[in-house]
Amino acid sequence: MSPQRAARVLRRGGVIAYPTEGVWGLGCDPDNALACERILMIKNRPWEKGLILVANDFDQLMPWITLPSNSAIRRAATTWPGPVTWLFPCADDCPLWLSGDHDTIAVRISDHPVVRALCHYFGGAIVSTSANRAGRDPALSATRVRLQLRSEIDGLVPGPLGGLEGPTPIRDVRSGFMLRR
C-alpha cells in the first residue's frame, strides 16, 4: 500500500507495518488510544514500557514533548534527521499509553524516505515500534512481517530497510546517556 493510503488507514484507527532505519515497524495514530492498545496487544508488550514516535520534522513532535535546555536540543539536532531515538521530557498532557510509566517519551526525526512520507501524508508523528512479538527478534523483511502478523495489521507499506543492523539507538536528551546501542 502507498504511504498516502497508509495515512488514511492510520486516520481511521488502523495499524500498519512499514520499513524503518533498521527493522520493520508497526505504526498507528498516537492520539488514538485504541490503536495504541492494539499495537501493545499484537506485540504482547506491557504499556509501562511506552512507545516511540517518529516524525518528519521537529514541529510534529511538539504536542508530545517538553523542550529541555538549548544544549540538550542541540544534542538531538546533531543526529536528526537520522537513526537516533532520543528520550525527551513528556508534555504535561502526554498520554500514558505513549510514555508508559516514564516522565519521558522516545522520539525520532527519521531520515528514512518511507517513514518521512508516512508522517508527511498523515500530517504528524506516528507510533513506531518494532514489528514483532515481545521476546522475538524484530522483523527484517516484509515477508517476516506477513508471516508473523498478517491477520493482525491493516496494511503494509513496502520498501527497503535503511541500513542499520537493528533497532535505532536510544539516548537521553538531557544527559546524552546511551540507553540502547
Side-chain angles (χ1 to χ4, degrees), residues 75-117:
R75 186 178 289 128
T78 63
T79 66
W80 283 348
V84 179
T85 299
W86 289 90
L87 296 178
F88 269 72
C90 290
D92 290 340
D93 57 352
C94 183
L96 290 176
W97 64 79
L98 294 177
S99 64
D101 64 2
H102 308 283
D103 64 354
T104 58
I105 184 165
V107 296
R108 179 170 75 251
I109 299 173
S110 181
D111 63 354
H112 191 284
V114 172
V115 175
R116 291 180 70 85

Side-chain angles (χ1 to χ4, degrees), residues 37-171:
E37 183 178 320
R38 192 168 151 216
I39 281 183
L40 294 172
M41 287 175 37
I42 290 168
K43 288 183 60 73
N44 194 28
R45 179 183 174 90
W47 71 270
E48 293 90 350
K49 287 188 172 187
L51 293 166
I52 294 174
L53 298 182
V54 291
N56 190 36
D57 59 54
F58 197 76
D59 287 342
Q60 291 182 339
L61 298 175
M62 292 306 294
W64 316 106
I65 64 172
T66 298
L67 295 179
S69 68
N70 286 337
S71 62
I73 294 168
R74 283 193 301 275
R75 186 178 289 128
T78 63
T79 66
W80 283 348
V84 179
T85 299
W86 289 90
L87 296 178
F88 269 72
C90 290
D92 290 340
D93 57 352
C94 183
L96 290 176
W97 64 79
L98 294 177
S99 64
D101 64 2
H102 308 283
D103 64 354
T104 58
I105 184 165
V107 296
R108 179 170 75 251
I109 299 173
S110 181
D111 63 354
H112 191 284
V114 172
V115 175
R116 291 180 70 85
L118 282 169
C119 294
H120 169 76
Y121 289 113
F122 180 67
I126 63 172
V127 167
S128 185
T129 184
S130 58
N132 61 293
R133 300 201 196 288
R136 292 182 124 178
D137 290 336
L140 300 178
S141 70
T143 300
R144 176 65 65 187
V145 173
R146 286 184 191 102
L147 287 172
Q148 286 186 23
L149 307 173
R150 175 187 310 244
S151 65
E152 298 179 73
I153 60 174
D154 302 308
L156 185 142
V157 181
L161 294 176
L164 285 185
E165 293 186 15
T168 60
I170 298 177
R171 299 179 69 177

Side-chain angles (χ1 to χ4, degrees), residues 16-39:
I16 61 165
Y18 56 94
T20 72
E21 293 89 346
V23 300
W24 276 77
L26 292 178
C28 70
D29 176 353
D31 273 325
N32 188 319
L34 293 176
C36 291
E37 183 178 320
R38 192 168 151 216
I39 281 183

